Amino acid sequence: MLTITRLDQADARLLIAGAEAHAREVGVPMCIAVTDESGQLLAFSRMDGGKVTSATIAIDKAFTAAAARKATHEYGAASQPGAPAWGISSAIGGRLMVVGGGLPVEHDGQTVGGIGVSSGTPAQDQAVAQAGIDHWRAQRA
């Protein structure tokens, strides 16, 4: 069994390759970021046509997913007015993302990094991030 305690550059390239392949399938050029377990950027790709404004969003989605150990879409309902985490999106200088597209990368129950995707709808972003993880797992098995 392969033991992974943190992502490296080879892992980041696999995650991005899988995400880019799915982004091409859905016809949406994306910005894709991969971070280590502490949310620090390892790799970034802005596909031709990826929105310029989505670069920072993708990086912050990956940061949130890794550092908070939680998918960004899970913060959506909890961060609405009157909900328990209302205002959390302004935490950490506004870096905490509450829309879909950021997923923790996990191995053996441990968060080893994060992937963040932006330029499509939240559902498209999340699906592209998941495709990156699925590709990474298939290649690392």
Side-chain angles (χ1 to χ4, degrees):
M1 177 76 144
L2 182 63
T3 300
I4 299 169
T5 57
R6 63 181 6 172
L7 298 180
D8 60 20
Q9 287 295 305
D11 294 313
R13 285 190 290 276
L14 287 172
L15 286 155
I16 288 173
E20 286 180 340
H22 191 71
R24 285 189 291 276
E25 286 178 22
V26 299
V28 181
M30 299 283 192
C31 292
I32 304 157
V34 177
T35 65
D36 66 13
E37 74 286 353
S38 65
Q40 298 304 303
L41 187 64
L42 287 175
F44 175 82
S45 174
R46 181 174 159 245
M47 297 173 70
D48 292 341
K51 296 175 185 173
V52 173
T53 54
S54 291
T56 300
I57 295 168
I59 292 167
D60 286 352
K61 285 180 180 182
F63 167 81
T64 300
R69 316 276 192 263
K70 188 176 214 170
T72 56
H73 69 274
E74 293 178 24
Y75 281 114
S79 66
Q80 298 303 308
W86 166 242
I88 199 166
S89 62
S90 65
I92 315 170
R95 289 196 72 189
L96 208 64
M97 300 302 297
V98 298
V99 295
L103 296 174
V105 179
E106 297 175 337
H107 180 74
D108 287 340
Q110 299 279 16
T111 299
V112 295
I115 183 169
V117 177
S118 185
S119 280
T121 66
Q124 288 171 324
D125 294 352
Q126 186 173 330
V128 168
Q130 186 62 57
I133 292 171
D134 293 345
H135 177 74
W136 172 74
R137 285 186 179 141
Q139 297 300 310
R140 295 299 300 226

